Amino acid sequence: MRDAFTDELESINQSLIEMTNLVASAMARATTALLDADLQLAENVISGDETVDLLRNEIEERAFDVMARQAPVATDLRMMVTTLRIVADLERMGDLALHVAKVARRRYPGRAVPPELRANLLEMGQVAQRIVAKAGSVIASRDTDLAKQLEADDDAMDGLHRALFHVLIEKPWPHGMEAAIDITLCGRYYERYADHAVSVARRVIYLVTGENAAS
C-alpha cells in the first residue's frame, strides 16, 4: 500500500510539473502576442487557459481523494497541503498570462507596447520565462538552494517594473491614456507572475524543511 501511495504522490507531482509547463508556454506566447500584435497567438493563449483550469481541478480532486483515503500525516500531509497551495499559484500564473494576451487582443491591429518600451517588456517576458523554468525545476527536484535563487530573479522583475513606471511618470508620455493603462496593467501582470513563481519556490522549501521561507 505504501508503494501505491508513493506512486500517487509522484503522479500528482508530475501533474504539477505539467501545469508549470503550461503556464510557462502561456506567458511566452502571450508576450510574443503583445509585442508583435499577433491576434491568433493571443486567441490561442486565451482559449488555452481552460486547459490550465481543468488541470487544476483534476490535481485538486486527486489530492483530496488521497487525503480522504490515506489520511496522510507528517511529511505526506505537508505534501498534500503544499500541492493544493502550489496548484493555486500556478492557476493564477495562467490567469496572468491570459490577461496579457487579452491586452494584445484588445489593441489589435495596433500594438499595445510603444517602441520605446518594447525592450523593457521583452525583458520582463524573458525574466518571467527564467523564473517559471526554475519553479518547474524546483517542483521536480525539491532543490531548496535553487528555490532560493528565484528571489534574485524576482528582484530583477521588480526593477523592470519600477523602470516601467519611471517612463510613465517621469517623462512626457505621448501615447495617450489607453496606452498608459495597458502598460501599467501589463507591468503588474508580469510582476505578479514572478511573485507567484516565488511563492511556489517558498512552498517547496516548506515541504522539504517544514519551515516557512522568509518573505
Side-chain angles (χ1 to χ4, degrees):
M1 288 183 65
R2 179 66 195 180
D3 288 344
F5 178 52
T6 301
D7 289 344
E8 285 182 299
L9 295 183
E10 178 57 29
S11 176
I12 289 172
N13 202 58
Q14 287 300 316
S15 293
L16 287 177
I17 296 168
E18 178 187 352
M19 192 171 176
T20 306
N21 291 337
L22 287 175
V23 302
S25 174
M27 186 55 96
R29 288 177 291 129
T31 300
T32 300
L34 183 72
L35 295 175
D36 295 347
D38 188 325
L39 179 61
Q40 185 59 55
L41 201 55
E43 295 286 8
N44 288 344
V45 174
I46 293 164
S47 62
D49 187 59
E50 183 179 1
T51 302
V52 175
D53 293 341
L54 290 172
L55 186 54
R56 175 192 177 164
N57 293 338
E58 177 193 323
I59 294 170
E60 286 182 335
E61 288 174 4
R62 288 162 61 195
F64 284 128
D65 179 64
V66 168
M67 292 172 73
R69 287 187 293 102
Q70 302 288 350
V73 296
T75 301
D76 293 335
L77 178 59
R78 212 157 60 225
M79 170 66 181
M80 292 294 91
V81 172
T82 301
T83 292
L84 293 171
R85 291 175 176 170
I86 287 176
V87 79
D89 282 315
L90 293 174
E91 192 269 339
R92 185 60 186 144
M93 291 168 73
D95 287 344
L96 292 162
L98 169 72
H99 295 332
V100 172
K102 284 184 174 180
V103 172
R105 182 176 69 176
R106 187 166 61 246
R107 295 301 167 218
Y108 182 83
R111 293 176 186 265
V113 181
E116 63 267 36
L117 287 176
R118 181 181 174 85
N120 186 290
L121 268 296
L122 175 62
E123 190 171 357
M124 293 183 90
Q126 291 169 341
V127 172
Q129 288 307 294
R130 185 165 71 242
I131 201 168
V132 72
K134 287 182 181 178
S137 295
V138 167
I139 293 171
S141 67
R142 299 185 186 174
D143 184 334
T144 57
D145 290 332
L146 180 60
K148 292 171 185 175
Q149 291 180 21
L150 272 75
E151 301 283 352
D153 293 310
D154 189 45
D155 289 343
M157 184 69 87
D158 290 342
L160 290 166
H161 192 213
R162 287 192 297 270
L164 204 62
F165 270 98
H166 177 77
V167 173
L168 290 169
I169 295 171
E170 300 297 332
K171 297 181 179 181
W173 179 255
H175 303 291
M177 183 61 68
E178 286 187 349
I181 292 171
D182 286 343
I183 293 300
T184 300
L185 289 174
C186 286
R188 180 62 173 163
Y189 298 150
Y190 283 106
E191 190 258 344
R192 289 300 298 151
Y193 186 93
D195 286 346
H196 282 287
V198 170
S199 291
V200 168
R202 289 175 178 167
R203 297 190 199 288
V204 172
I205 291 172
Y206 168 72
L207 170 63
V208 173
T209 68
E211 299 177 356
N212 289 312
S215 299

